[in-house]
Amino acid sequence: MPTPSLTARQPHVPTDRLLAELVPPRHFARESFDTYEPDPAHASQAEAVTRLREVADALARPAGRSGWFGRRRAAAAPAVYLDGGFGVGKTHLLASLAHAVGTEQAAFGTFVEYTNLVGALGFGPTVEALGARRLVCIDEFELDDPGDTVLMSRLLRELADRGVALAATSNTLPESLGEGRFAAEDFLREIQALAARFEVLRIDGEDHRHRAATTHAATVPDARLRDVVGARDDATLDDLGALLEHLSRVHPSRYGALLDGVGLVALTGVNPVDRQDVALRLVVLVDRLYDRDVPVLVAREGVTDSGLDLFTPEMLRGGYRKKYYRALSRLGALAAEGAALAAERPAA
């Protein structure tokens, strides 16, 4: 029997599933305000929790003409922006807010997931679908592409005008989004107009995960990789080049469905990617693997001693560098899990 591969999959995802998947990722599925532990050394963390509880309480009230979503719904809908460094718990708090409001009433997704949703459904249907929610949460707000800047700004304005509450996270204050990335006045004006919608909640603190951006990833010998894959029913095996070619024919909104039932992904032929469009598709796939906690086995052959050279030095210095370093960090964590599994499983 041939080894299953992701390239053999052609996922078809109905609209209702795309919308149903706008929930906090698996590793934040059980988080709440109660599980967030503010650092006493940084008062802004506790202050953020208090303010977000207030927002959640207001949004959780039953809708009614005299309530929060009554006649003045559009004017009253809050918009909060969680600003802070890596590892201070922004995503934890954003997920907690979504859970407190209720996943039936709140949509939760990354910036990229929302732009992909618009690409899959169209702008109007996306506004209609999200406009029925009380809260839309945007994690990892990014403005490294002019087209996406205009698209997301328009989408959020439409939702805010309909009275939908907004909450977002980023590592940059709204007024500074896009600085140094592109200088066109039109896009800066879009950023400034968007910034005015948000109440900024600054969250200070140290990275509680003590992570460092790294290009290193644990690898395993090719023979060992194939041995582990052959012993599991939920594992896939793909050449990275062939997989990236396949991804060009699958809409990014379907990358999550591509991983249905997959518990381990094995990659051979891991070589540098030198095209920006291909690299960005790889970033989305890594994000979906990370959201689903799917370990990755990386074949040692082809990987240099200096690390996982997936992206060129020019890419790592360019406007999308934040995406690329995030992908390397996440893939490194998933590869470490995969290598640990390979070390545990007895040889066939």
Side-chain angles (χ1 to χ4, degrees):
M1 175 182 291
T3 303
S5 72
L6 296 177
T7 57
R9 297 182 168 211
Q10 292 287 349
H12 298 282
V13 184
T15 298
D16 56 353
R17 172 171 172 173
L18 288 176
L19 296 171
E21 289 182 340
L22 290 175
V23 295
R26 185 179 302 170
H27 44 277
F28 289 103
R30 298 182 181 276
E31 302 296 3
S32 68
F33 292 129
D34 290 337
T35 62
Y36 182 82
E37 299 180 5
D39 185 342
H42 299 280
S44 60
Q45 294 188 12
E47 292 168 358
V49 173
T50 298
R51 176 60 184 134
L52 290 174
R53 283 185 183 274
E54 293 172 351
V55 172
D57 288 344
L59 294 176
R61 294 170 191 160
R65 293 182 62 83
S66 60
W68 187 266
F69 290 97
R71 294 179 181 177
R72 302 184 62 187
R73 178 184 179 191
V80 292
Y81 196 108
L82 280 60
D83 175 77
F86 290 106
V88 296
K90 300 186 304 298
T91 300
H92 184 148
L93 290 174
L94 192 68
S96 299
L97 177 61
H99 287 309
V101 174
T103 53
E104 293 291 325
Q105 296 293 329
F108 184 107
T110 64
F111 180 91
V112 173
E113 285 180 297
Y114 286 113
T115 57
N116 288 340
L117 184 68
V118 173
L121 303 186
F123 187 83
T126 299
V127 172
E128 291 299 320
L130 296 179
R133 308 290 181 100
R134 292 192 175 188
L135 171 69
V136 169
C137 298
I138 311 101
D139 198 22
E140 298 175 1
F141 207 103
E142 301 173 2
L143 288 175
D144 45 22
D145 180 272
D148 287 346
T149 300
V150 175
L151 173 67
M152 203 62 173
S153 179
R154 181 186 169 199
L155 176 63
L156 296 189
R157 286 202 307 270
E158 292 270 359
L159 294 175
D161 289 345
R162 289 175 177 238
V164 178
L166 305 172
T169 72
S170 180
N171 302 306
T172 311
L173 284 171
E175 291 83 358
S176 300
L177 285 172
E179 285 186 4
R181 311 296 278 277
F182 48 88
E185 287 187 15
D186 287 345
F187 297 118
L188 291 176
R189 184 164 56 250
E190 289 291 334
I191 292 168
Q192 292 164 0
L194 182 60
R197 298 274 186 178
F198 290 91
E199 170 192 357
V200 176
L201 301 180
R202 176 69 188 178
I203 305 176
D204 300 301
E206 302 296 325
D207 183 349
H208 70 87
R209 290 165 292 192
H210 302 289
R211 297 178 306 167
T214 177
T215 60
H216 177 75
T219 59
V220 298
D222 185 79
R224 183 68 183 132
L225 176 147
R226 295 176 185 277
D227 178 55
V228 174
V229 170
R232 292 181 58 131
D233 294 332
D234 62 348
T236 60
L237 174 62
D238 289 276
D239 172 82
L240 181 60
L243 177 57
L244 293 175
E245 175 64 24
H246 180 62
L247 292 182
S248 70
R249 298 186 293 271
V250 179
H251 193 275
S253 65
R254 299 175 179 175
Y255 286 8
L258 195 68
L259 301 171
D260 283 354
V262 176
L264 178 69
V265 166
L267 298 175
T268 62
V270 177
N271 292 303
V273 177
D274 57 9
R275 284 177 46 190
Q276 198 95 263
D277 58 334
V278 177
L280 291 173
R281 284 194 286 269
L282 177 58
V283 168
V284 177
L285 178 65
V286 171
D287 284 343
R288 300 293 80 78
L289 287 165
Y290 187 79
D291 289 345
R292 287 159 176 75
D293 294 324
V294 178
V296 176
L297 285 176
V298 177
R300 184 163 300 158
E301 287 72 12
V303 178
T304 67
D305 292 337
S306 61
L308 195 62
D309 298 326
L310 279 177
F311 309 112
T312 66
E314 291 75 19
M315 288 179 177
L316 296 177
R317 291 193 298 266
Y320 296 113
R321 60 189 178 276
K322 178 182 173 184
K323 293 180 189 288
Y324 296 144
Y325 275 111
R326 182 183 75 227
L328 289 170
S329 178
R330 289 182 168 183
L331 185 56
L334 297 176
E337 294 179 19
L341 287 174
E344 292 173 1
R345 182 176 293 276

